[in-house]
Amino acid sequence: MHIGYKLSSEAFSPAELVRQALRAEEAVVRPFVDAGFDHIVLNNAGPDPDGFIDFFADELAPRLRALTPSGPVPSTASTQVVP
């Protein structure tokens, strides 16, 4: 009985994995931005905290900072992402 598929590391390019991670993070953060939150905390529970900080600074933070509420929010709300 097979429950899953075995994939090699060649199945996904590093660039595609980064794109998937960015889309996933945006999807998680979006409802909070839409609700008017102006501070969002992201926590790395992985084995490479330095890698997470680099990824956050280079790839994730600019995209999250660019998110704007898609609905009405209080006029004092702003989107800030602090590493």
Side-chain angles (χ1 to χ4, degrees):
M1 171 188 249
H2 294 283
I3 297 178
Y5 297 96
K6 183 176 180 179
L7 298 174
S8 67
S9 61
E10 292 81 25
F12 298 97
S13 70
E16 178 57 27
L17 292 175
V18 168
R19 282 191 293 274
Q20 289 178 10
L22 291 172
R23 285 191 297 269
E25 291 293 341
E26 287 176 359
V28 168
V29 170
R30 165 61 63 197
F32 295 100
V33 172
D34 288 346
F37 283 77
D38 60 0
H39 288 79
I40 297 170
V41 176
L42 303 176
N43 184 32
N44 174 47
D48 184 12
D50 293 332
F52 173 77
I53 295 297
D54 292 341
F55 171 73
F56 179 86
D58 297 340
E59 303 287 339
L60 190 55
R63 291 179 68 137
L64 294 180
R65 286 187 178 114
L67 292 176
T68 57
S70 57
V73 296
S75 61
T76 58
S78 64
T79 303
Q80 297 178 5
V81 179
V82 179

